[in-house]
Amino acid sequence: MPESFRTQTIANWVSDFADTSAFHALPAPAKEYSGEILPAFLTHACEHRDREPGEIEEIDIKHAMLDGVGALALPGSVRAVAPDLCAALMAELQGQGRLADGDSLGRYVRALRAAYDERTADSAKTVRNPGERIGRNAPCPCGSGKKFKNCCMR
């Protein structure tokens, strides 16, 4: 499928979903960021195994949720509702006849919540070096007897 056609299909599906009652029942943060989350979700799902939007399966959904949506820079309140947003889209796509097993894929998205939360929590943690800093004038840790600045610092 040509990339532009796939992109247009995804944009149409997301736009149509925004006009449904399922979309309007979602929390405000989900609706506000849906234009960023849902296209990224569907695009990653399609690209994972080079599928058309109507042919995506669980393995594509897993990749899209953990690597696609999980990699987006979203506020914490939006991250918390992203799985519900994607699950609602999957169910609605089945209701519209665009995705054969959308309900089960929506349940799978919700089942991925723990892995998604873990993945997004890991990306937000600050990594710190637990060791002590070595001063320029401190003895070199290699044991040469020289100052660090005259030995291993270079």
Side-chain angles (χ1 to χ4, degrees), residues 7-8 15 18 21 34 37-38 52 55 58-59 73 75 80-82 90 113-114 117 119-120 124 131 135 139-140 148:
T7 304
Q8 187 62 39
S15 176
S21 59
S34 65
I37 295 170
L38 295 177
E52 293 183 24
E55 298 174 342
E58 283 186 3
I59 189 69
V81 297
M90 294 289 99
R113 181 183 296 278
D117 289 343
R119 172 89 41 111
T120 57
C140 190
F148 180 60

Side-chain angles (χ1 to χ4, degrees), residues 10-20 22-43 65 68-69 72-75 77-79 81-90 116:
I10 289 170
N12 288 341
W13 286 12
V14 170
S15 176
D16 291 347
F17 175 64
D19 293 332
T20 65
F23 178 80
H24 293 294
L26 293 167
K31 290 188 274 191
E32 182 179 343
Y33 283 86
S34 65
E36 182 179 351
I37 295 170
L38 295 177
F41 174 70
L42 288 174
T43 300
M65 200 66 215
V69 177
L72 294 175
L74 301 171
S77 61
V78 177
R79 282 200 179 282
V81 297
D84 296 326
L85 175 65
C86 295
L89 173 66
M90 294 289 99
Y116 169 78

